[in-house]
Amino acid sequence: MEVAAIPAVEQVLKEWDIKQTDVLLEKLETDRNTRQEQEKKLREAENNRLEKELEKAEKENQAHQKELGKAHCELNKRIYEHDKCMAEGKTDKRDVTLQAVHDAEAVLELARKKAETSKETLAQVKLKLREEHKKDNESADGADLKGMKVLITDLDDVLFRDVGGKIAADGRWPLLIDSTPQSSTFLRYRDTNFINALNPKNMEPEVIRLALLGALRYGKPTVLDMMDVDMFHSATLKFDEVQKGLMASLMSKELLKDNKFLELVRPGDGDEYSKTSFLGARIERFMFIIITQQWNPPEHLMEQTYPIRVIIPSRPDV
């Protein structure tokens, strides 16, 4: 039965003034704009609050780092004085100089704790600010790019320290999306096993095998830099030359389960890669990081990884 066929409804429709619809639509649009404006003001207020909190945290961290440096210097002075007295045979001053060393050590330990606390506080404020910026980006028109957005200066907190536990909670390996070479430079000079996917020598099976084993053995990341080319399929084929299905096993983290990675060890590798040399604590620190300069990586790669966009504040799409 059609609604319009009911006499009462039909009468209402006949008498309905289309202008009333326009008024209602206009009111709905006004209400929507008002809500958006209120939400925008709230976000701006929260951003301003966090910016001030960040400024305060940075100042406190700088002060505590300076205090820590001073404490290190003081301890070195006290140790030097003690060693000098002992070298000169002034054993009568031994207790005094040794106590001075102990006092300086206590001051250093306190300074270290303060510095660690202020560093962690700073990292947490930065995390809150990143999350707030993410909300802004999600609410902006056209800002539907996937991935956490970070500054290069925050990469250590996000990638290595995983402040907030975002990467651990997601469970996938990180994909660094950076249209500039800065992330590559940052990671190349960290303690990583770095593989350039466009360098044929880097992509030799033995190089790949040892890069993975070494990273697992010593608890550090293996980095695959694809630069500005979609090299994931080609890299997968090269990894699979080491062992069939290696890339899939690595991406799913099956390689880390039940010491499956030991299948990569060869008889000629020696004691360095013996079963007992792979310690659990170091294996837990292993990470596989992929870098791409393509701002819009293939969807299949995005789905397999935890995307992190390294942004430049002046970019129009940030």
Side-chain angles (χ1 to χ4, degrees):
M1 180 176 64
E2 295 183 4
V3 175
I6 301 174
V9 174
E10 186 177 0
Q11 183 64 29
V12 169
L13 291 174
K14 284 181 179 179
E15 296 175 356
W16 183 264
D17 186 353
I18 193 65
K19 291 181 179 179
Q20 294 183 48
T21 301
D22 293 337
V23 170
L24 287 172
L25 289 173
E26 185 176 342
K27 184 177 184 302
L28 288 172
E29 181 66 17
T30 300
D31 290 344
R32 186 176 71 86
N33 290 337
T34 300
R35 284 196 305 274
Q36 288 181 342
E37 188 62 29
Q38 289 174 341
E39 289 171 0
K40 182 181 178 182
K41 288 180 179 179
L42 287 173
R43 288 196 303 271
E44 287 176 350
E46 180 63 10
N47 274 328
N48 290 335
R49 185 188 70 79
L50 288 173
E51 289 286 357
K52 290 179 181 178
E53 192 175 334
L54 177 63
E55 184 179 356
K56 179 184 176 183
E58 285 177 337
K59 287 181 179 178
E60 289 181 354
N61 184 56
Q62 288 172 3
H64 286 140
Q65 292 298 327
K66 187 176 180 180
E67 184 180 333
L68 179 61
K70 183 179 178 181
H72 272 291
C73 291
E74 287 299 316
L75 175 59
N76 288 332
K77 287 179 183 178
R78 301 293 84 83
I79 292 174
Y80 172 76
E81 290 169 356
H82 173 72
D83 291 344
K84 185 179 179 182
C85 284
M86 295 304 99
E88 293 175 353
K90 298 177 181 178
T91 55
D92 57 317
K93 294 184 178 181
R94 181 180 181 279
D95 291 344
V96 175
T97 56
L98 199 56
Q99 184 59 49
V101 170
H102 292 329
D103 290 345
E105 287 175 337
V107 171
L108 175 61
E109 183 59 26
L110 181 60
R112 183 179 285 113
K113 288 180 179 179
K114 287 182 179 179
E116 288 175 355
T117 299
S118 63
K119 184 179 180 180
E120 183 60 29
T121 299
L122 177 60
Q124 290 296 331
V125 174
K126 286 183 176 180
L127 173 63
K128 291 178 184 177
L129 198 54
R130 285 196 299 272
E131 290 177 340
E132 198 62 32
H133 287 165
K134 183 180 178 182
K135 291 178 185 177
D136 290 343
N137 292 329
E138 288 173 349
S139 64
D141 292 336
D144 56 352
L145 291 172
K146 292 181 181 178
M148 175 191 291
K149 294 183 178 180
V150 302
L151 297 172
I152 188 69
T153 52
D154 294 332
L155 209 51
D156 186 68
D157 283 346
V158 173
L159 198 58
F160 292 107
R161 299 181 64 213
D162 193 18
V163 175
K166 302 290 185 181
I167 296 176
D170 182 86
R172 295 173 295 176
W173 297 125
L175 170 68
L176 280 186
I177 305 169
D178 187 351
S179 58
T180 75
Q182 59 183 349
S183 291
S184 297
T185 303
F186 173 79
L187 288 171
R188 186 184 292 276
Y189 293 102
R190 293 290 298 239
D191 186 17
T192 65
N193 285 353
F194 198 93
I195 300 173
N196 186 325
L198 277 74
N199 186 327
K201 289 189 178 295
N202 282 193
M203 296 304 290
E204 291 177 359
E206 189 66 359
V207 174
I208 293 171
R209 184 181 74 85
L210 291 176
L212 289 173
L213 278 178
L216 286 160
R217 165 71 172 80
Y218 294 103
K220 56 184 180 179
T222 292
V223 179
L224 178 66
D225 184 7
M226 302 193 300
M227 301 180 72
D228 58 352
V229 183
D230 178 12
M231 292 291 294
F232 189 70
H233 178 67
S234 298
T236 297
L237 295 178
K238 288 293 184 180
F239 272 60
D240 288 0
E241 285 183 23
V242 178
Q243 183 184 75
K244 186 177 180 180
L246 177 58
M247 182 63 88
S249 178
L250 175 60
M251 294 298 287
S252 67
K253 300 189 178 180
E254 285 295 320
L255 186 67
L256 307 183
K257 296 178 181 178
D258 301 320
N259 291 339
K260 184 176 174 61
F261 59 84
L262 289 175
E263 296 175 5
L264 300 178
V265 178
R266 303 291 182 261
D269 289 338
D271 293 339
E272 183 180 6
Y273 294 112
S274 65
K275 183 177 181 179
T276 55
S277 66
F278 290 90
L279 304 179
R282 289 180 177 175
I283 294 170
E284 288 178 2
R285 291 201 299 269
F286 169 80
M287 186 185 299
F288 183 52
I289 303 169
I290 302 174
I291 310 175
T292 178
Q293 290 181 25
Q294 293 186 324
W295 196 242
N296 293 292
E299 189 63 28
H300 67 85
L301 182 58
M302 296 282 282
E303 290 174 354
Q304 295 182 69
T305 55
Y306 180 72
I308 300 172
R309 294 184 182 274
V310 181
I311 61 172
I312 302 172
S314 59
R315 280 187 66 103
D317 54 355
V318 172

